[in-house]
């Protein structure tokens, strides 16, 4: 039927003695902001639904996941609970007898609200899931706009600058809309174009209302396959930052960002 369908349910429980939930050290950080107690069990549930359908010239893929439960971390007034949602949609269209292929990838990840220490609403995608070369993939700017400190330790001491975590970003607190086009130049050579538009879902900074526009990104790539078992990929990404990277009153610079990458894959 050319259909793939999957359901994943995961339940995790840890007693207080083995609960390693990271406690916050700054207001709005990690689980519970500024707190030093972890007296209860970690008890979480994860539900993930996956669907993919292939037609003659079109492929549709959809995945949605929810995280819920309690962290066992206690603030001054309440226990910290988790409630987050992530959604990914991929459409790929390849017309018959055409050198062009078209795609649309869209991602939604709920963001943690730093003003609610008793709730953690952030959904963080796996770091290996990428929509664009820079947005949601490379650490950008000087503010923790995507609220991903849990996966890159950005608010727990040490160096917190973006350059210290160059390839440590993940998709969270963001909606990204990314249309793509691929030109099949030769039998072993593809030229790709991608434009990604990003928007923050939740205000990420305490006491500072910022613009949620992340701007847009243009990626150009060349995929060369001289042999069935050898692939050489090279890409160039241009990020035109939106006002979100100014971080409100901080007024950080928002110059264009440029990335170059090349990689070779050999399969055996």
């Amino acid at each position: 039927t050319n259909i793939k369908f999957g359901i994943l349910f995961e339940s995790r429980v840890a007693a207080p003695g083995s609960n390693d939930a990271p406690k916050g050290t700054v207001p709005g950080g990690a689980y519970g902001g500024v707190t030093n107690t972890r007296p209860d069990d970690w008890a979480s549930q994860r539900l993930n639904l996956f669907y993919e359908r292939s037609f003659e010239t079109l492929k549709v893929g959809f995945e949605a996941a929810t995280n819920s439960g309690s962290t066992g971390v206690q603030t001054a007034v309440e226990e910290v609970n988790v409630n987050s949602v992530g959604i990914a949609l991929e459409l790929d269209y390849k017309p018959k007898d055409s050198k062009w292929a078209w795609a649309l990838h869209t991602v939604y990840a709920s963001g943690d609200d730093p003003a609610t220490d008793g709730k953690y609403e952030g959904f963080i995608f796996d770091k290996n899931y990428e929509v664009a070369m820079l947005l949601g993939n490379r650490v950008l700017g000087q503010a923790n706009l995507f609220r991903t400190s849990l996966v890159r330790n950005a608010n727990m001491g040490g160096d917190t600058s973006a350059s210290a975590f160059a390839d440590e970003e993940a998709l969270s607190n963001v909606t990204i809309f990314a249309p793509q086009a691929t030109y099949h130049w030769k039998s072993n050579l593809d030229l790709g174009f991608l434009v990604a538009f990003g928007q923050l879902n939740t205000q990420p900074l305490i006491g500072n209302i910022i613009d949620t526009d992340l701007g847009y990104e243009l990626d150009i790539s060349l995929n060369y396959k001289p042999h069935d078992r050898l692939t050489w990929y090279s890409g160039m990404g241009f990020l035109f930052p939106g006002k979100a990277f100014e971080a409100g009153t901080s007024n950080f610079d928002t110059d264009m960002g440029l990335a170059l990458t090349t990689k070779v894959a050999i399969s055996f």
Side-chain angles (χ1 to χ4, degrees):
T1 61
N2 294 321
I3 293 176
K4 296 179 181 179
F5 179 73
I7 301 176
L8 169 70
F9 177 76
E10 176 187 80
S11 179
R12 178 178 178 233
V13 178
S18 57
N19 185 354
D20 60 354
K23 300 174 293 184
T25 59
V26 296
Y31 294 130
V34 180
T35 181
N36 58 2
T37 59
R38 196 191 285 128
D40 298 319
D41 294 352
W42 172 285
S44 67
Q45 298 80 43
R46 181 160 63 105
L47 177 63
N48 189 300
L49 303 176
F50 168 78
Y51 174 85
E52 182 182 280
R53 176 74 184 270
S54 295
F55 302 91
E56 189 173 8
T57 59
L58 178 68
K59 183 169 72 172
V60 180
F62 174 80
E63 191 164 358
T66 62
N67 291 327
S68 60
S70 57
T71 66
V73 175
Q74 187 78 27
T75 70
V77 294
E78 59 187 332
E79 185 175 15
V80 181
N81 293 316
V82 175
N83 188 8
S84 60
V85 177
I87 299 172
L89 172 65
E90 298 185 358
L91 305 174
D92 295 277
Y93 174 60
K94 177 67 170 69
K96 282 186 175 181
D97 303 321
S98 174
K99 289 193 172 186
W100 287 94
W102 309 91
L104 174 64
H105 293 177
T106 302
V107 167
Y108 170 85
S110 61
D112 178 45
D113 184 350
T116 57
D117 274 344
K119 297 179 182 178
Y120 186 84
E121 306 95 337
F123 186 94
I124 302 177
F125 274 74
D126 188 284
K127 293 178 186 177
N128 288 325
Y129 186 72
E130 303 174 4
V131 178
M133 186 183 297
L134 290 168
L135 280 174
N137 188 35
R138 300 289 193 271
V139 181
L140 305 168
Q142 299 186 63
N144 187 22
L145 300 179
F146 299 105
R147 305 284 300 164
T148 51
S149 58
L150 284 176
V151 295
R152 62 182 183 90
N153 217 26
N155 70 344
M156 301 176 195
D159 190 351
T160 60
S161 62
S163 61
F165 307 93
D167 193 21
E168 296 247 332
E169 191 58 277
L171 292 162
S172 184
N173 189 30
V174 69
T175 297
I176 294 181
F177 178 82
Q180 306 173 37
T182 302
Y183 180 69
H184 191 54
W185 196 350
K186 296 182 179 180
S187 60
N188 60 357
L189 187 63
D190 291 336
L191 185 62
F193 305 91
L194 177 148
V195 181
F197 305 89
Q199 192 88 11
L200 295 177
N201 294 326
T202 302
Q203 287 289 329
L205 307 178
I206 291 181
N208 193 358
I209 303 300
I210 70 171
D211 196 299
T212 58
D213 178 27
L214 293 168
Y216 66 96
E217 176 179 340
L218 171 63
D219 296 342
I220 302 172
S221 62
L222 196 64
N223 200 62
Y224 177 51
K225 196 166 185 177
H227 188 273
D228 288 343
R229 298 182 181 274
L230 178 65
T231 301
W232 181 18
Y233 170 91
S234 296
M236 179 182 299
F238 303 89
L239 177 67
F240 301 90
K243 289 188 176 181
F245 290 102
E246 294 179 359
T249 58
S250 298
N251 291 321
F252 296 135
D253 290 338
T254 54
D255 297 332
M256 185 194 77
L258 170 65
L260 302 172
T261 184
T262 187
K263 53 190 175 183
V264 175
I266 302 174
S267 58
F268 299 95

